[in-house]
Amino acid sequence: MALSRSYSVLPGFGLSLGYTLVYLSVIVLIPLSAVFIFTAQLTWAEFWQTVTAPRVVASYKLSFGASLGAAAINGFFGLMLAWVLVRYSFPGKRIVDALVDLPFALPTAVAGISLTAIYAQNGWLGQYIQGALGIKVAFAPLGVLVALVFIGLPFVVRTVQPILEDMETELEEAAASLGARRWQTFVFVVLPVLWPALLTGFALAFARAVGEYGSVIFIAGNIPMVSEITPLMIITKLEQYDYTGATAIASVMLVVSFLLLLVINGLQVWAGKRTGRDR
Amino acid sequence: MTAITATTAPSIPVARCLGRLLVGQSTKFESNRATCEPQWVKWTILGIALTFFVVFVFLPLVAVFVEALRKGTDVYWQSLVEPDALSAIKLTLIAAGISLPLNLVFGVAAAWAIAKFEFRGKQVLTTLIDLPFSVSPVIVGLTYVLVFGANGWFGEWLIEHDIKIIFAVPGIVLATIFVTFPFVARELIPLMQAQGREEEEAAVVLGARGWQTFWYVTLPNIKWGLLYGVILCNARAMGEFGAVSVVSGHIRGMTNTLPLHVEILYNEYNFAAAFAVASLLALLAFVTLVIKTIAESRVKHQLSDNT
């Protein structure tokens, strides 16, 4: 790694890189490799049976389906919120801007019980939603979606917002002076600039949602085959001392996470090229 | 006449300050006819976006405090000072107190290597540092069970030497370190890259030692970014639930952190107490956001000063 570094007068390269690599290996890489090493002890048939058991497959469907849905909802409303924060002035704007990061800062368990209090059958909003529309939110798959929307919102807003801030007015002025209507300017001039950031935010929100545990388990109700998420399946196996089963499911999730990480990296490189920003 | 100006004069800047805090200045887009929408479109978008914000972000925050105080301040206070709650607070502080300095030192070292030097594999290293963000917290807990648990790699050796890591405090600390691993590094790497290395090179050429260069040149430049990373790292360290839940074993008064204590109270249908303890964490989140907002504007300020 360090072989081809160009000469620099600054000291501390060996020390800082060496420490970084050792710490990274001890805390992250070696423990993570344990998941794959333990999984490798299973035969292929055992592995396949564990990760395709009906209850586990149902959990994939819920986890990935709800994560996709939540990321899509966040993509739409997150873009809107970023737009409002950059383009308009309104009372309480600074407070809204700061609070957008709340899902990053609020512990997931707190978010979980709070959302349950709001969306439960007799909750703040739940009583009206269930009473008027007859839709059950908490203790049903829809509750999982609500929790994942909460968790993912800042990812979209915070990736789109800086791009919107950097946009100059000239492009839109040119479009307007050439006779474009406002919606045409938005669709054909503004949106193409925002696409890479919007997709990155979408992917980040999705990646976070797939692995989310704390906020979901309180509101989901955790009914087998109906509202169990994949991370919960790992916990369930662990509680039954089925370590190999837990590890097998974990390795499937890890592979998905790595793939998502690659996609996000690619998106960020693309976004950087498109807008001339580093990261 | 003079008396009136004397009393109103100080209130005008205050009012203006408050106004700017609340409304913000009108944006460059609003005063430009080519970049603003018809009024009804603007108000519709504003209405939808803010409704979404209130329902999904603001309401959950308010609900924590309202539910916490539902049974009165006595119950609230009692839930915070009972021994199990106090020991949960203590353990949370220990876990954050150990993981914070370790990840801080790592973050500075990693940012120094990545931002100030060119080497092959830099992109890979940056990606690997971000890795803990994309791993599910539950899997983080599982990895440490596989390494240190009774059936794990070091399980037998640990039992022989009577060292407990899983279902004990060390496991909780390790899991916390893993999930908060990237925060400081992630914040410092882009900041230090943007600042370049000219200032440090000048210091070294003028005869400063390595540590002197770091203390007197680099550190003043990155202090707000550092604070930003540390405050986010701390919020996550104190609030982590999934990873800690796997390795804790949920022993009351022994291996319960604040978020785990919230879960136990909630599952016992002791909602008022659960929300009371949760409100402590919500308060922490609130303070985190305030400091973060300040640090963020200082970082922006510093970057625009430098260029």
Side-chain angles (χ1 to χ4, degrees), chain B residues 149-172:
Chain B
N151 300 318
W153 284 346
F154 301 115
E156 253 169 65
W157 188 86
L158 289 170
I159 293 170
E160 267 169 33
H161 292 79
D162 203 25
I163 304 171
K164 271 201 87 127
I165 291 186
I166 299 304
F167 306 140
V169 177
I172 292 174

Side-chain angles (χ1 to χ4, degrees), chain B:
Chain B
M1 207 46 201
T2 48
I4 292 167
T5 42
T7 48
T8 50
S11 72
I12 289 170
V14 172
R16 194 181 296 156
C17 250
L18 208 69
R20 198 175 297 160
L21 185 77
L22 289 174
V23 184
Q25 284 146 327
S26 141
T27 66
K28 66 179 176 190
F29 304 99
E30 282 175 311
S31 48
N32 186 332
R33 273 186 56 198
T35 55
C36 70
E37 292 76 39
Q39 284 296 312
W40 69 271
V41 176
K42 174 183 163 181
W43 289 111
T44 312
I45 295 176
L46 204 56
I48 296 173
L50 290 184
T51 307
F52 180 82
F53 170 83
V54 167
V55 169
F56 276 95
V57 180
F58 193 65
L59 211 55
L61 181 65
V62 176
V64 175
F65 292 101
V66 174
E67 296 288 330
L69 293 168
R70 179 154 279 185
K71 295 223 171 117
T73 47
D74 277 352
V75 174
Y76 181 84
W77 185 244
Q78 281 310 313
S79 334
L80 296 186
V81 296
E82 54 124 355
D84 286 347
L86 287 178
S87 77
I89 293 174
K90 195 174 138 200
L91 183 56
T92 297
L93 291 176
I94 290 174
I98 296 175
S99 52
L100 221 56
L102 286 175
N103 285 336
L104 176 68
V105 171
F106 159 74
V108 172
W112 181 264
I114 289 173
K116 304 292 178 192
F117 300 92
E118 297 303 325
F119 56 91
R120 212 174 350 170
K122 194 158 146 176
Q123 191 57 45
V124 179
L125 183 60
T126 320
T127 308
L128 285 177
I129 288 173
D130 275 349
L131 197 58
F133 276 151
S134 38
V135 174
S136 172
V138 169
I139 296 179
V140 175
L142 173 70
T143 61
Y144 285 111
V145 171
L146 295 179
V147 175
F148 298 111
N151 300 318
W153 284 346
F154 301 115
E156 253 169 65
W157 188 86
L158 289 170
I159 293 170
E160 267 169 33
H161 292 79
D162 203 25
I163 304 171
K164 271 201 87 127
I165 291 186
I166 299 304
F167 306 140
V169 177
I172 292 174
V173 173
L174 278 173
T176 309
I177 293 176
F178 188 116
V179 291
T180 57
F181 181 85
F183 280 96
V184 178
R186 237 198 112 85
E187 210 40 60
L188 288 185
I189 291 168
L191 180 65
M192 280 165 75
Q193 273 174 337
Q195 285 169 341
R197 53 182 173 225
E198 286 84 1
E199 289 185 34
E200 281 86 358
E201 280 168 354
V204 169
V205 169
L206 290 171
R209 287 163 187 280
W211 288 114
Q212 287 176 320
T213 310
F214 178 76
W215 276 110
Y216 297 111
V217 180
T218 310
L219 200 58
N221 274 337
I222 60 167
K223 62 180 179 211
W224 288 106
L226 207 61
L227 177 69
Y228 183 99
V230 165
I231 196 81
L232 287 183
C233 184
N234 179 61
R236 181 73 195 265
M238 291 191 170
E240 178 52 28
F241 178 75
V244 170
S245 159
V246 174
V247 295
S248 128
H250 303 271
I251 307 160
R252 273 188 107 136
M254 298 279 290
T255 60
N256 261 350
T257 60
L258 276 176
L260 296 178
H261 191 56
V262 170
E263 185 201 19
I264 287 190
L265 292 170
Y266 190 85
N267 287 343
E268 289 171 347
Y269 301 100
N270 193 350
F271 296 133
F275 277 102
V277 177
S279 76
L280 273 189
L281 290 165
L283 215 59
L284 169 77
F286 195 77
V287 173
T288 302
L289 289 185
V290 171
I291 300 177
K292 174 186 168 298
T293 309
I294 297 170
E296 209 165 30
S297 69
R298 291 299 168 95
V299 169
K300 263 189 195 162
H301 206 72
Q302 218 161 26
L303 271 179
S304 59
D305 273 0
N306 283 0
T307 48

